[in-house]
Amino acid sequence: MDKVMISVRDLVKNYGNFQAVKGISFDVYEGEIFGLLGPNGAGKSTTLEIIETLRPKTSGKIIVDGIDLDAHPNEIKKIIGVQLQSSGFYPGLNLLELVDLFSGLYNRKVNAMELLETVHLKDKAKAKVKELSGGQKQRFSVATTLINNPKIVFLDEPTTGLDPQARRNLWALIKNIRQNGTTVIITTHYMDEAEYLCDRVAIVESGKVVALNTPDKLIDDLVATGFERPKEVKKANLEDVFIHLTGHKLREE
Ligand code: ADP
């Protein structure tokens, strides 16, 4: 039996009179990449921020690695990695200095160069965040989630705005994080990304989970209803053309 890393039961969040999360329940298993999908305003960020202990809930029960969020939120903070907004990075510091600063805040000893190497940013160790390309910024942001050697990392739309090469590069990085035994929760608006990366996805709509399964099973269930794609499926798509013509190599490195 897979170990449950995150258990969310009957989670409700009210903002004044408005109910943003309407009784959500799901489990995330150890070592999986779990996707939270849904249109803007569905309640994904609210749900994640509550699990991350950054936002109070209205009601419901959350257990993270056996720790009750109501009783020991600080214990949960220690075992999770959360992406920091790049706007919060001190502009005067380079990547090495930032990693050192954050590891100090986490009270952890980290080999900053080794960490930058895992996200292919060793060459940029002395650069400031504003000097990085979009893909490099995202990789650095992912690196900051790993500083406290967490059991779970939360990635909020990590590939938004990236070119296809940088996106694929980040996919490999995320798979690698999971390979090392870390559980990953990710939000994304790209369904191809969710299909490629996620072991299971929950689809959230208006504060409720409307489907939860493996991408494969969800697709099979839809096909079983008689659904068919209106367009003939070709053996390649435009992204294949783009990659074929411009290569897999990362740009702006
Ligand atoms: P998602 O991440 O799926 O886009 P959010 O969790 O950000 O959704 O938002 C869910 C709903 O809650 C939205 O209608 C949003 O406007 C509302 N909301 C989010 N944060 C606040 C807040 N701090 N105060 C009031 N309403 C909020």
Side-chain angles (χ1 to χ4, degrees), residues 62-103:
I62 293 175
I63 312 267
V64 180
D65 195 25
I67 305 163
D68 186 335
L69 183 134
D70 291 327
H72 306 288
N74 289 330
E75 293 303 306
I76 293 180
K77 279 198 183 98
K78 286 183 197 158
I79 60 158
I80 64 172
V82 175
Q83 265 179 302
L84 304 165
Q85 295 303 315
S86 58
S87 54
F89 295 148
Y90 295 88
L93 301 183
N94 67 34
L95 302 193
L96 270 183
E97 291 163 341
L98 282 169
V99 172
D100 283 338
L101 173 70
F102 294 137
S103 55

Side-chain angles (χ1 to χ4, degrees), residues 8 11 19-26 34-48 51 185-189 191 201-213 218:
V8 176
L11 180 65
Q19 192 160 73
V21 176
K22 303 185 172 80
I24 279 185
S25 299
F26 62 88
F34 187 88
L36 215 49
L37 312 179
N40 287 329
K44 304 178 298 294
S45 304
T46 299
T47 300
L48 286 188
I51 302 170
I185 297 202
I186 182 171
T187 66
T188 177
H189 288 303
M191 293 306 119
V201 299
I203 300 180
V204 183
E205 160 71 354
S206 304
K208 290 186 180 142
V209 173
V210 294
L212 196 170
N213 219 315
L218 292 173

Side-chain angles (χ1 to χ4, degrees), residues 3-4 28 39 48 61 72 80 85 90 94 105 114 125 127 129-130 151 168 175 184 192-193 232 241 244-245 247:
K3 178 185 161 186
V4 174
V28 178
L48 286 188
K61 192 155 191 71
H72 306 288
I80 64 172
Q85 295 303 315
Y90 295 88
N94 67 34
L105 294 176
E114 218 168 77
V129 171
K130 65 169 186 286
K151 292 186 179 179
R168 283 166 192 231
K175 287 231 174 186
V184 178
D192 61 333
E193 176 165 302
E232 187 197 328
V241 174
H244 183 72
L245 294 174

Side-chain angles (χ1 to χ4, degrees), residues 81-141:
V82 175
Q83 265 179 302
L84 304 165
Q85 295 303 315
S86 58
S87 54
F89 295 148
Y90 295 88
L93 301 183
N94 67 34
L95 302 193
L96 270 183
E97 291 163 341
L98 282 169
V99 172
D100 283 338
L101 173 70
F102 294 137
S103 55
L105 294 176
Y106 280 122
N107 209 5
R108 291 265 180 170
K109 273 238 166 308
V110 171
N111 184 330
M113 209 46 146
E114 218 168 77
L115 180 70
L116 290 177
E117 171 128 55
T118 61
V119 295
H120 315 299
L121 284 176
K122 214 171 142 187
D123 296 347
K124 295 284 172 185
K126 294 282 166 64
K128 306 205 167 105
V129 171
K130 65 169 186 286
E131 294 157 4
L132 303 180
S133 72
Q136 290 166 341
K137 277 198 188 104
Q138 287 287 21
R139 295 212 298 280
F140 183 64
S141 161

